[in-house]
Amino acid sequence: MKGNKNKVARFLITILTGAIMLAAASGCSNNGNVLGPNQNSNVTFSITQEVSQTGSMQFMFKPGTDIKISQLISKFPAEQFADTLIFGNPNYVYSKDTTYIINRYVNVYAGQHWIFDFTGTVPGSNSQYNTSINYTVQ
């Protein structure tokens, strides 16, 4: 009788383990259009630069498609510098036909490697994106 109880207990544990795994798998939500970093291949940006009248470097971006931006981080890793810009109106659509100013920075020289991290959503589908652009100052 004791052997049967062990078999029944193992059987119940196996069934219970399977049920828990099935519940965990089915309980995971499908994020639909929510994508991780750099998985939305439609989201691209070009970066340009110009020296301002005060001598600071002005970085600019132009989106490859109409886009909404919630946050932009300008980073100069060599100096452990990061400037986080939070956009006040995350519903504003940045046109693919327009160039926008990111910000002006001092002590920027040719050859520096900057990274621009864009976060936001794609209008219409509202799929999220996080795109990093590597840029070398000219």
Side-chain angles (χ1 to χ4, degrees):
M1 191 74 159
K2 216 175 196 189
N4 284 341
K5 285 185 180 179
N6 286 341
K7 288 181 183 176
V8 169
R10 279 188 293 221
F11 176 75
L12 289 175
I13 289 172
T14 303
I15 295 295
L16 183 59
T17 302
I20 290 171
M21 290 176 70
L22 181 62
S26 65
C28 292
S29 63
N30 178 356
N31 290 332
N33 292 329
V34 178
L35 300 174
N38 300 320
Q39 291 182 3
N40 193 329
S41 61
N42 295 330
V43 178
T44 60
F45 298 88
S46 61
I47 304 294
T48 56
Q49 69 183 56
E50 69 181 24
V51 177
S52 71
Q53 292 177 350
T54 62
S56 60
M57 182 64 69
Q58 178 172 278
F59 291 113
M60 297 163 289
F61 73 90
K62 184 175 182 180
T65 185
D66 292 348
I67 205 75
K68 295 178 184 178
I69 302 172
S70 57
Q71 176 178 281
L72 168 58
I73 303 174
S74 303
K75 296 188 278 189
F76 180 44
E79 296 291 329
Q80 299 179 0
F81 172 80
D83 181 25
T84 302
L85 304 171
I86 305 295
F87 290 72
N89 182 359
N91 293 315
Y92 180 82
V93 177
Y94 292 83
S95 170
K96 64 182 177 64
D97 300 319
T98 304
T99 299
Y100 301 91
I101 296 172
I102 295 173
N103 211 345
R104 293 180 179 93
Y105 301 101
V106 295
N107 299 321
V108 177
Y109 303 102
Q112 290 180 340
H113 300 284
W114 285 67
I115 300 170
F116 298 93
D117 291 331
F118 293 84
T119 303
T121 57
V122 178
S125 69
N126 281 328
S127 64
Q128 295 180 348
Y129 69 87
N130 183 339
T131 301
S132 291
I133 306 298
N134 293 305
Y135 182 76
T136 301
V137 178
Q138 308 299 305

